Amino acid sequence: MPKTEELNGTGFPSRQPLLHRLTAAVAAPYQLWLGDDGQLRQLGAQGAYLGDTRILSCAVLTVDGAEPEAVSVRVRPAADGQLIEARFIFRGTGSTVLSPPCQLTRSVLVSREGIGETISIESALPTELTVDLGLELAADLAGMDAVRGGAVTAPLRPGSTAGTYRWSTSDGVESTLALSSPAADSSATSSTATDKATAAVVHSVTLQPHGTAEFRWHLTGMDPLSPVSAAPTWQAPKLTAGTEPRLVALAAQSSSDLAGLRLALRASTGKRHLEAAGPRAAFLAAGAPWYFTLFGRDSLWAARLLLSRDLSLASGTLRTLAAFQGSASDPATAEQPGKIPHELRRGSFSIPSENQGKGLHLPPLYYGTVDATPLWVCLLHDAWRAGLPHEEVESLLDSCEAALEWMVEYGDSDGDGFLEYMDPTGTGLANQGWKDSADAVRWPDGTLAAGPIALCEVQAYAYEAAMGGSALLTAFGRSASRWRAWGTDLQRRFREKFWCADAAGRFPAIALDADKRPVSSAASNMGHLLGTGLLNAAESRAVAERLTAPDLFTGFGIRTLSQTNAGYWPLSYHCGSVWSHDTAIIVAGLRKDGHASTAHRIASGLLDAAEAFHYRLPELFGGYSRRQAPAPVPYPMSCFPQAWAAAAAAPLLDALA
């Protein structure tokens, strides 16, 4: 990969780029991030990406040497991908009125075949108009970790032949952009100049009176080390919404985003993994831009939320993750026998620390997750109940037994009957539940809990996996009494250890710390216990009431951490923000446990938030109440589209239909 340059003299790269004002379109394995004016500049996270590599870092349009003025930018679904349409006005030299000599439209289609743009110019004049349409192009082929870390990566010098530009790296990554000449009612001449690493393309176009012209480019990439590619089928999970306009809009946007996130394994992952997963096994990338690959927890939750709409997605996700199920113990990768992986990438993923720590350094196949393994068993059980073919279920039973064995033998590292985690390397994820930032587990006074950490929701997943796995194995004539007994004992132990109270009522603590003390902070984690069977009716009711107290429920969704916690901040990643999928999982659990009216109330709030985000539910947003902010406040680094955020539409539609 190309060399990165520091932004300052501190020895560390800049901060993670902000995303909230960018415009994104996705069609796996490609994604495109433009500025809010429709231009692609060498700035922050802007760029065209193939998997984990930025294959175009600049595509700036000019007219007579100046940038046109943006009028509108919108994203909409297309037949085979997503389309960004940006409209511009060019007023011309000396023109001060709004009525323009010409209008430009940039229509950029992101599809699984690549990224193509059509640039159209239309004259409003009764006389001829000659303009120079310019396009500045550059590519840095930067890795996703460099972009996310805020590093500045120098553009590479392109090779150029007959209107085609190529950039490449020593490890086989290639980016190819092919230009087409202007066409339609115009005469044109073209010139191309390459100044260092930036290509400048100029088309001199003469438009006839009221004439039009257009030219095109198409971008493709190749990465022999990428483990993922476009799924072999393009069909999106089906989301239907009746006739209520807001639900229809949410269903349409979510369906489009889910279609754009569908992936499958590539041959570079190895014959054994491909054969184990199957040639047509599709799964969802966790999200854009940083997580455009297979993630155990994220892909599982997305498939589970969509199970009633798409059984094939559950099948592909289960088989793909089972193909990478751990078979040995390796502290460097966190692999253990029976464990389901956390993430799969083309290479190591590293982000330096801005303090004296070691920073984050994850191997290409990383297993640092405590919840993906029980969630895999839960999805298999749910898919079996939903009608997954007998032979498919049977082919995964050995993996099911290995996953259950992992929970008891490895997930419970100290033998206390609870699943806990601890990163021994100092370079992996410090927290390994879904709230995986280093500061996610706090005491009420805001101090961090010491690990190993046993999260409350992980115990619920483990209980559900033990009981569901037992039912599944019994139905197929396999021994299951051990898992049933273990789950029953876990339920008893949980009731004894986790429950605590504050001024707003009783609730399960977010976790147990290294000394097995309940970390008595009220957090959204407790909502994941609903619908798992771990709670009795009275306990479920207590959780439902606690979640809807004003310190947790904003009116738009459930805060990740109570306002009463000293570590709370509305724009903290995991300590006060609202996550779309988190709230949707709570809605689904409430409905399953019989709290339909509470589910409807929370779902209505999240639908209001979706409307404010043009029905593309973000990864997360600010934890401000409706009193503090009448509209939801964006989290500036929130990813979108995100698989489990888009999949959150399904439980919302169920609750609000």
Side-chain angles (χ1 to χ4, degrees):
M1 286 296 176
K3 180 181 178 181
T4 58
E5 300 173 352
E6 297 172 3
L7 281 182
N8 50 53
T10 65
F12 300 105
S14 180
R15 296 182 178 93
Q16 181 174 328
L18 304 184
L19 303 173
H20 67 298
R21 296 189 62 182
L22 301 186
T23 300
V26 298
Y30 292 95
Q31 54 176 317
L32 177 65
W33 290 78
L34 302 179
D36 59 1
D37 61 355
Q39 297 272 41
L40 171 53
R41 294 182 171 83
Q42 298 182 76
L43 181 66
Q46 293 186 36
Y49 296 83
L50 171 66
D52 267 352
T53 304
R54 180 161 58 189
I55 59 172
L56 189 69
S57 54
C58 179
V60 174
L61 177 67
T62 60
V63 183
D64 290 340
E67 289 192 34
E69 298 167 83
V71 175
S72 69
V73 181
R74 66 170 182 153
V75 182
R76 58 186 177 89
D80 56 351
Q82 291 185 341
L83 183 71
I84 299 177
E85 189 173 75
R87 296 186 182 276
F88 299 84
I89 295 296
F90 176 65
R91 291 192 261 184
T93 303
S95 175
T96 59
V97 297
L98 185 60
S99 299
C102 60
Q103 170 184 279
L104 292 98
T105 302
R106 302 188 72 171
S107 300
V108 192
L109 177 64
V110 183
S111 77
R112 59 179 180 169
E113 305 301 328
I115 298 173
E117 176 172 33
T118 299
I119 300 172
S120 304
I121 180 170
E122 180 179 357
S123 173
L125 296 177
T127 56
E128 281 190 353
L129 175 67
T130 299
V131 295
D132 287 342
L133 292 181
L135 194 61
E136 180 184 346
L137 300 169
D140 59 7
L141 303 188
M144 190 66 77
D145 51 355
V147 179
R148 184 181 175 188
V152 173
T153 307
L156 301 176
R157 185 185 297 275
S160 175
T161 54
T164 298
Y165 298 87
R166 289 186 176 86
W167 299 265
S168 62
T169 65
S170 59
D171 60 359
V173 176
E174 290 187 7
S175 177
T176 303
L177 188 146
L179 287 160
S180 299
S181 297
D185 298 331
S186 69
S187 60
T189 59
S190 300
S191 64
T192 301
T194 300
D195 179 17
K196 297 182 179 179
T198 302
V201 181
V202 179
H203 292 298
S204 182
V205 181
T206 300
L207 294 165
Q208 303 304 313
H210 301 288
T212 61
E214 63 182 32
F215 69 96
R216 300 179 176 88
W217 57 260
H218 191 261
L219 176 73
T220 56
M222 181 178 69
D223 181 0
L225 299 181
S226 176
V228 296
S229 65
T233 56
W234 189 243
Q235 184 178 1
K238 293 294 187 294
L239 293 173
T240 55
T243 59
E244 205 282 314
R246 295 198 303 162
L247 295 179
V248 170
L250 176 64
Q253 183 62 59
S254 298
S255 293
S256 174
D257 287 341
L258 291 166
L261 293 169
R262 288 175 70 100
L263 286 171
L265 295 180
R266 283 192 64 205
S268 58
T269 57
K271 181 179 179 182
R272 177 175 66 87
H273 294 124
L274 279 176
E275 289 179 348
R280 301 182 67 82
F283 55 87
L284 291 177
W290 319 128
Y291 313 117
F292 218 64
T293 185
L294 175 68
F295 269 71
R297 176 194 308 117
D298 301 58
S299 299
L300 285 164
W301 259 125
R304 202 174 183 201
L305 291 170
L306 294 165
L307 184 60
S308 64
R309 274 82 171 177
D310 190 341
L311 191 57
S312 67
L313 181 62
S315 172
T317 303
L318 287 164
R319 287 186 285 121
T320 301
L321 288 169
F324 295 95
Q325 189 172 29
S327 59
S329 292
D330 183 357
T333 64
E335 179 183 2
Q336 292 168 331
K339 195 175 186 181
I340 297 298
H342 176 61
E343 65 182 275
L344 173 69
R345 294 189 184 267
R346 75 181 301 276
S348 297
F349 191 86
S350 301
I351 299 179
S353 173
E354 293 190 12
N355 51 39
Q356 297 303 309
K358 298 178 181 179
L360 184 71
H361 181 81
L362 305 182
L365 179 58
Y366 179 56
Y367 288 81
T369 169
V370 71
D371 52 7
T373 306
L375 285 171
W376 187 94
V377 178
C378 292
L379 179 60
L380 177 62
H381 169 264
D382 292 351
W384 167 57
R385 291 292 192 194
L388 191 67
H390 180 96
E391 59 276 12
E392 282 197 53
V393 177
E394 192 167 36
S395 70
L396 293 169
L397 292 182
D398 287 347
S399 292
C400 179
E401 289 184 325
L404 292 168
E405 187 75 24
W406 175 85
M407 292 197 313
V408 175
E409 298 299 328
Y410 296 93
D412 178 13
S413 59
D414 58 9
D416 69 340
F418 296 117
L419 272 63
E420 56 264 320
Y421 59 83
M422 188 76 177
D423 171 44
T425 67
T427 58
L429 293 171
N431 281 312
Q432 298 185 1
W434 83 260
K435 296 178 182 177
D436 56 7
S437 55
D439 64 348
V441 184
R442 295 176 177 268
W443 290 92
D445 66 0
T447 58
L448 300 183
I453 296 291
L455 293 166
C456 69
E457 76 273 19
V458 173
Q459 315 317 313
Y461 305 156
Y463 172 81
E464 189 176 12
M467 306 311 282
S470 296
L472 173 59
L473 293 172
T474 299
F476 280 79
R478 298 198 181 196
S479 175
S481 58
R482 177 189 179 195
W483 313 120
R484 191 177 300 109
W486 185 86
T488 301
D489 195 41
L490 171 61
Q491 186 179 45
R492 176 189 59 79
R493 292 191 304 273
F494 185 92
R495 190 164 287 134
E496 293 173 352
K497 287 284 190 178
F498 272 83
W499 281 86
C500 57
D502 63 10
R506 295 181 68 245
F507 62 93
I510 187 175
L512 302 182
D513 74 350
D515 296 323
K516 306 305 174 185
R517 297 175 300 169
V519 182
S520 53
S521 295
S524 64
N525 304 56
M526 72 176 86
H528 291 226
L529 279 56
L530 297 165
T532 64
L534 181 68
L535 306 177
N536 62 32
E539 292 165 341
S540 175
R541 187 164 55 253
V543 169
E545 292 172 355
R546 188 65 188 83
L547 288 168
T548 51
D551 64 313
L552 282 175
F553 182 46
T554 70
F556 294 115
I558 306 297
R559 292 185 180 95
T560 44
L561 187 66
S562 166
Q563 276 184 310
T564 63
N565 192 289
Y568 165 82
W569 185 247
L571 289 177
S572 168
Y573 194 57
H574 285 136
C575 297
S577 59
V578 173
W579 285 62
S580 298
H581 87 285
D582 187 31
T583 295
I585 289 170
I586 291 169
V587 167
L590 286 166
R591 293 185 71 246
K592 193 172 181 180
D593 276 4
H595 309 295
S597 61
T598 304
H600 189 280
R601 177 187 171 196
I602 296 173
S604 296
L606 190 54
L607 179 61
D608 290 344
E611 183 179 12
F613 291 112
H614 306 290
Y615 299 101
R616 176 179 261 177
L617 280 167
E619 179 187 22
L620 71 157
F621 53 92
Y624 298 93
S625 68
R626 285 182 184 265
R627 179 183 57 80
Q628 295 172 306
V633 176
Y635 181 83
M637 290 175 283
S638 175
C639 297
F640 60 92
Q642 199 81 347
W644 57 13
L652 295 192
L653 296 173
D654 291 340
L656 298 173

